[in-house]
Amino acid sequence: MFHHIKGTVFHVDPNRVVLDNGGVGYGINTSFFSASAVKKGEEALFYTYLHVREDAMELYGFAAEEELSCYKMLTSISGVGPKAALAILSVVTPEKLALCVISEDEKALTKAPGVGKKLAQRIILELKDKLAKSQLSVSGTSGVELPSPQVNMGSAGEALAALTVLGYGRAEAAEALGGLDESLPVEELVRQCLKKLMR
C-alpha cells in the first residue's frame, strides 16, 4: 500500500520512528540501525511495508531498501513473524545477515530477542536453500554444494554468495562486484555492491 514515506522525524525510539507528513504522523516499526540513522526534526525517507492482521494493521519501514528486502525475506520463513524479523535486523545488518548464512553463524542470530537456536538454524537452512536453488538455475546442474565455512573462497567469492543469499542473481551480483577492490573485507564489498544495486 505504501512504497515509502518521506517526512520530518517527529519522534524516535530504538525500534520506532514517527514521520510527520502533511500534518499526519506515521508510526513506523523499524530496526535499531534505521532508527539510529535519523534525528528528530530532520527530514527522512523510510521504505515501508504494511502488515495486515485480523485485529491490527502495523507499518514497518527501513531507511534502506536492502533492509526492507531482508525483512520481507525473513518473514517469508515459517516461524519468523514481523517482531522476530525486526529483532534480527536490529542485531545484524543485511550484509552481516548474508554472511551469517554462508558461514552458518547461528550464534549471531540468537542474539536477537525471541530467536532461539532452532529458529536460527531454520533461517540459515532456508536461506541457504534459496542460495543453492539460485546456483542451480544458473549452472543447470544438480548436486551443487555450498562452500563450507572452512573453505576460503576469497572476499569476492564470499561477497558473491552473500549477495545471492540476499536475493540477487549471480550475474547482477558479479556485475556489481566489477571494479571494486577485492582486497576489502567481505562485509564492505557487500555494502558497496548493495549501494550499486539499489540505484
Side-chain angles (χ1 to χ4, degrees):
M1 184 175 178
F2 302 107
H3 175 269
H4 68 269
I5 296 174
K6 186 178 183 180
T8 303
V9 179
F10 181 79
H11 181 77
V12 184
D13 277 337
N15 288 112
R16 189 171 173 83
V17 169
V18 178
L19 290 185
D20 186 312
N21 178 299
V24 178
Y26 293 90
I28 303 169
N29 298 302
T30 191
S31 70
F32 171 79
F33 298 111
S34 285
S36 300
V38 300
K39 291 182 181 178
K40 187 175 179 180
E42 294 184 353
E43 190 173 70
L45 185 150
F46 274 65
Y47 298 94
T48 55
Y49 175 81
L50 183 64
H51 181 73
V52 180
R53 301 196 320 248
E54 281 185 16
D55 57 345
M57 288 194 298
E58 293 182 314
L59 194 60
Y60 290 82
F62 305 91
E65 280 188 277
E66 54 265 33
E67 260 195 297
L68 177 60
S69 176
C70 281
Y71 168 82
K72 289 178 179 178
M73 187 166 55
L74 285 167
T75 53
S76 73
I77 297 170
S78 175
V80 182
K83 289 183 180 178
L86 208 58
I88 291 167
L89 291 173
S90 289
V91 296
V92 294
T93 61
E95 301 90 346
K96 284 185 179 176
L97 173 62
L99 295 178
C100 285
V101 173
I102 61 175
S103 63
E104 299 182 2
D105 183 5
E106 63 190 49
K107 286 185 179 179
L109 299 182
T110 57
K111 289 178 183 176
V115 178
K117 185 176 180 180
K118 285 186 179 179
L119 184 55
Q121 289 173 337
R122 185 185 305 143
I123 291 167
I124 288 170
L125 183 65
E126 290 203 23
L127 293 184
K128 268 203 166 187
D129 188 48
K130 286 184 181 182
L131 172 57
K133 284 178 181 175
S134 69
Q135 287 179 329
L136 283 170
S137 66
V138 171
S139 65
T141 60
S142 59
V144 173
E145 287 187 15
L146 291 171
S148 73
Q150 290 75 31
V151 176
N152 184 8
M153 295 188 287
S155 292
E158 287 186 34
L160 185 65
L163 289 165
T164 313
V165 167
L166 294 174
Y168 295 100
R170 290 181 69 82
E172 63 179 336
E175 186 178 342
L177 275 166
L180 296 181
D181 181 359
E182 295 186 7
S183 66
L184 289 170
V186 180
E187 192 175 337
E188 182 57 30
L189 277 176
V190 175
R191 186 178 289 113
Q192 291 191 22
C193 285
L194 287 172
K195 284 182 180 178
K196 283 187 178 183
L197 291 163
M198 288 295 176
R199 285 175 188 166

